[in-house]
Amino acid sequence: MEAGGSREREARNYLEKHQIMELLKYLTSVLLFIRPEKPREYLIAILEKLRIAKATGVAFPFFMDHSNIAAMFDMMDSSKKGTISFVQYKEALKTLGLCTADEVLKDDGHAITLDKFKSEVKTMRWIISKRLNTT
């Protein structure tokens, strides 16, 4: 029984060390948001861009621009108050592959505005790019 537990632990450590689950979640999120006609070719292109970014040290390619982020915010702000809740904010970050379900984000009690949402997405993208470029 211990041998199986050891192999499982080794596998989990490997996935964590190389951030495989984060990468797969990111790829899945992008795929579901963009919904390309040829998903395999699209994924291959993303992975190639990631490889080039890592090899050259350039920024991690993020496949949503400001208009996509604003559109996502508008969908969540159904009452058109100009704000979303912290729960919506965290779900959006998970959908974008920018945080995990078990990642702890601090709720400061304030509603999230579009500007704050864009800023946070930009910050999370930078953190992810640094993580992926170091593995």
Side-chain angles (χ1 to χ4, degrees):
M1 190 72 143
E2 180 60 36
S6 176
R7 286 187 51 81
E8 187 176 311
R9 192 171 30 262
E10 286 176 20
R12 190 176 12 260
N13 289 341
Y14 177 84
L15 292 173
E16 287 176 11
K17 177 182 177 184
H18 296 285
Q19 298 175 346
I20 301 298
M21 299 311 293
E22 290 88 347
L23 177 61
L24 291 174
K25 183 172 181 154
Y26 174 76
L27 292 172
T28 303
S29 297
V30 170
L31 194 64
L32 291 174
F33 187 81
I34 303 291
R35 297 181 190 260
E37 281 295 314
K38 297 180 177 180
R40 288 186 179 127
E41 289 87 348
Y42 187 79
L43 289 172
I44 290 168
I46 290 175
L47 290 169
E48 181 61 18
K49 288 177 183 176
L50 290 172
R51 186 191 66 75
I52 291 169
K54 184 173 182 177
T56 61
V58 299
F60 173 74
F62 188 67
F63 301 96
M64 290 185 68
D65 61 20
H66 287 290
S67 65
N68 297 129
I69 294 167
M72 179 181 234
F73 183 90
D74 286 342
M75 285 188 284
M76 292 183 293
D77 181 21
S78 58
S79 63
K80 304 301 178 206
K81 292 189 290 186
T83 61
I84 59 173
S85 70
F86 182 78
V87 172
Q88 290 172 307
Y89 161 73
K90 186 170 181 179
E91 284 302 312
L93 292 180
K94 287 193 301 189
T95 299
L96 293 170
L98 297 175
C99 82
T100 61
D102 58 342
E103 202 165 339
V104 177
L105 299 175
K106 293 183 181 166
D107 183 358
D108 63 6
H110 296 95
I112 310 295
T113 64
L114 176 59
D115 288 338
K116 182 173 181 177
F117 184 64
K118 284 181 178 179
S119 173
E120 293 291 320
V121 167
K122 182 178 179 182
T123 299
M124 297 296 276
R125 284 174 33 195
W126 183 83
I127 291 168
I128 296 250
S129 73
K130 291 299 173 194
R131 285 182 192 162
L132 290 175
N133 283 332
T134 59
T135 57

